[in-house]
Amino acid sequence: MGFRLLKGCKMLLLAGGAMLMLTACNSSGTSDKVQLEFFQNKAEAKESFDKLVKKFNSEQSEIEVTQVNPPDAETVLKTRLVKNDVPDIMALGATDTFSVLSQSHIFMEQTDQEMINLINPSYLEMVTDTSGMDELTGIPYATNANGIMYNKTLFKEMGLEVPKTWDELLKTAGKIKDAGKIPFYLTYKDDWQTNLAFNALAPNLEGIDFYLERRANETTFQERYREVAEKQLAILDYGHSDNFGKTYADGNRAFANGDAYMYIQGTWAIPEIRKANPDIEIGFFPFPTSNNPEEINLVNGIDTLLTVSEDTEYKEESVEFIKFLLREDNIKQYITEQNLFAAVEGVIQEDPSVAGVIPYIEEGRVTDFADHYIPAAVQLNSIVQEFLQNRDIDAYLAKLDKEWDKVANRR
């Protein structure tokens, strides 16, 4: 005997066409509750969201939320969408995947929601820039930052100041190298790690508008990205003896052990580094990409945004859950546990390791990750890794343009 349980636990279909109405979804007696699926893509955030989901479910009696967080979540989600099996609420990064899904009208428009008044306008703009749409299809929730970590103890011992300009950065790295120490611990065996400097240099030197113009075929990487490429190569001179043999995990352990003074990395690595050395004194500063400190912005992009399915029959209830997540006590709990920053204005990350970048966020001196605007099919990470190995700037920029155009022509 086969059966199918419909969304919301409304009915059970039995073989032969007989239909029986359910009086209960399960033994807990939640038949009268609206059942919502909350699909999110971050494995490391599952425990934090579990706590919040449990709290939401216990605070009211009308809605029951269940979190779903499978391995390789984005691939799973795309497969489900093809089958027209769309979760009610989805938490995703503000990436090209989000852009493609937005333009496919998967998500409910949220432009007129009152809750967007809580959000830092810089992050709302990032959402619409990423999606390429005027309508707001996702609510920014948490953000992360890409920059340079430094070992405060080692800096203090050598009498080093935090560099504020590109020249100061190279001068500082030179002093460390001359002392026989490692300035930057580079972890370029993992191709995505090669992209960290690119994500700082590109939006600061050329702006995110470059990608909007590139979409319109008004400019090229070959025309605009030579300085970015040159500075990517310059960093290599201040790494260690095995830049392309070490992974992200290797780098976290090495930096935790004091093997290098600086680490071009994201704030997401801080919890992993502290697991290896709870006593390390970490500092974090924006990547000084030019010689004018006033022109330097913190790369501070949307780590998680919250969307609602256009097809869910429970839009109002889904919005209620998002409002709950945005509540000050809840988002504070989340960013504290995850070492992230809140998209909600006035909710501050108080971890001392990132104190140096908080003024940039408060003043709106932020810019998005460049790779959020580059289609995944371009294979940016492998292109950057190949370039850093062969050091051929002309071939690198030509390949970026070629792969971009190839993807654009398929869309």
Side-chain angles (χ1 to χ4, degrees):
M1 181 178 290
F3 67 87
R4 181 163 63 96
L5 187 63
L6 292 188
K7 192 175 194 179
C9 305
K10 293 175 181 175
M11 60 187 70
L12 192 66
L13 299 182
L14 301 178
M19 183 182 293
L20 298 177
M21 296 300 295
L22 290 180
T23 57
C25 293
N26 53 45
S27 58
S28 64
T30 58
S31 61
D32 57 340
K33 290 188 178 183
V34 169
Q35 303 293 310
L36 296 181
E37 180 185 358
F38 172 50
F39 184 105
Q40 67 92 11
N41 68 337
K42 287 170 59 72
E44 62 271 29
K46 183 179 184 303
E47 187 176 342
S48 292
F49 276 127
D50 273 342
K51 294 177 188 175
L52 291 169
V53 166
K54 184 178 180 181
K55 185 178 179 182
F56 176 79
N57 290 340
S58 67
E59 284 189 3
Q60 46 74 48
S61 58
E62 291 80 27
I63 306 167
E64 186 84 12
V65 173
T66 301
Q67 179 186 181
V68 174
N69 175 236
D72 198 10
E74 278 200 6
T75 300
V76 171
L77 180 60
K78 290 174 186 176
T79 301
R80 288 186 56 178
L81 297 181
V82 170
K83 297 177 180 178
N84 199 30
D85 178 24
V86 187
D88 302 287
I89 308 152
M90 291 154 279
L92 305 167
T95 64
D96 182 65
T97 296
F98 166 72
S99 173
V100 170
L101 298 182
S102 290
Q103 292 176 27
S104 300
H105 306 291
I106 299 296
F107 307 128
M108 179 184 92
E109 182 183 346
Q110 304 200 58
T111 311
D112 296 327
Q113 294 285 351
E114 265 188 44
M115 59 186 167
I116 70 173
N117 296 324
L118 301 171
I119 308 298
N120 184 316
S122 298
Y123 302 135
L124 294 172
E125 185 177 351
M126 285 180 191
V127 174
T128 52
D129 280 350
T130 304
S131 70
M133 300 170 64
D134 292 332
E135 301 84 5
L136 187 71
T137 52
I139 303 292
Y141 186 58
T143 73
N144 55 29
N146 172 13
I148 300 178
M149 286 188 209
Y150 69 103
N151 186 310
K152 288 184 174 181
T153 303
L154 296 181
F155 261 57
K156 198 177 299 180
E157 288 174 357
M158 197 178 282
L160 299 173
E161 299 290 331
V162 171
K164 298 286 197 300
T165 67
W166 172 255
D167 286 349
E168 287 178 8
L169 179 66
L170 296 190
K171 186 177 178 181
T172 301
K175 283 182 181 178
I176 297 166
K177 185 177 180 179
D178 290 345
K181 307 294 184 181
I182 298 174
F184 297 105
Y185 204 92
L186 303 179
T187 53
Y188 290 173
K189 185 174 182 178
D190 289 334
D191 63 1
W192 69 276
Q193 288 282 290
T194 67
N195 206 14
L196 293 168
F198 176 90
N199 267 329
L201 290 161
N204 270 294
L205 296 177
E206 289 298 332
I208 290 301
D209 282 351
F210 167 84
Y211 292 99
L212 308 184
E213 294 168 19
R214 190 65 186 84
R215 286 174 183 171
N217 205 27
E218 295 171 354
T219 189
T220 65
F221 289 97
Q222 292 172 86
E223 291 172 9
R224 303 265 295 274
Y225 266 53
R226 182 162 292 273
E227 183 182 358
V228 172
E230 290 170 349
K231 288 182 173 178
Q232 285 178 274
L233 289 181
I235 294 296
L236 284 174
D237 295 336
Y238 301 98
H240 49 87
S241 60
D242 195 15
N243 293 332
F244 294 93
K246 300 298 182 182
T247 65
Y248 169 63
D250 294 330
N252 290 341
R253 286 190 295 268
F255 187 74
N257 292 333
D259 292 350
Y261 282 60
M262 292 181 286
Y263 192 26
I264 301 170
Q265 197 52 263
T267 50
W268 54 80
I270 293 173
E272 296 303 310
I273 292 167
R274 284 179 173 154
K275 285 179 187 176
N277 180 6
D279 298 323
I280 187 171
E281 277 196 274
I282 299 172
F284 197 92
F285 60 92
F287 198 123
T289 51
S290 76
N291 285 323
N292 182 352
E294 300 303 314
E295 293 177 354
I296 296 167
N297 293 314
L298 174 70
V299 176
N300 172 224
I302 298 169
D303 183 74
T304 297
L305 53 76
L306 303 168
T307 70
V308 174
S309 166
E310 174 61 32
D311 292 333
T312 181
E313 58 187 299
Y314 302 123
K315 288 181 180 177
E316 185 177 330
E317 292 86 352
S318 297
V319 168
E320 283 305 308
F321 179 62
I322 292 177
K323 287 179 179 177
F324 167 85
L325 292 179
L326 291 172
R327 205 171 73 192
E328 184 173 345
D329 58 329
N330 295 326
I331 195 168
K332 181 74 169 181
Q333 175 183 322
Y334 181 79
I335 66 167
T336 299
E337 292 178 359
Q338 294 293 313
N339 279 90
L340 296 169
F341 306 95
V344 171
E345 291 192 293
V347 181
I348 307 300
Q349 172 58 261
E350 296 175 349
D351 190 302
S353 65
V354 296
V357 302
I358 296 299
Y360 287 80
I361 295 173
E362 291 180 334
E363 295 166 16
R365 294 177 58 189
V366 299
T367 187
D368 204 354
F369 287 73
D371 63 358
H372 286 182
Y373 298 82
I374 299 178
V378 169
Q379 299 292 317
L380 175 67
N381 295 342
S382 60
I383 292 174
V384 173
Q385 185 184 54
E386 179 186 39
F387 159 60
L388 294 176
Q389 289 172 321
N390 64 36
R391 296 175 176 250
D392 187 335
I393 292 177
D394 290 329
Y396 168 51
L397 300 182
K399 189 166 186 177
L400 283 174
D401 280 321
K402 178 184 175 183
E403 294 303 315
W404 179 286
D405 290 337
K406 192 185 299 183
V407 174
N409 290 336
R410 290 202 300 263
R411 288 191 170 184

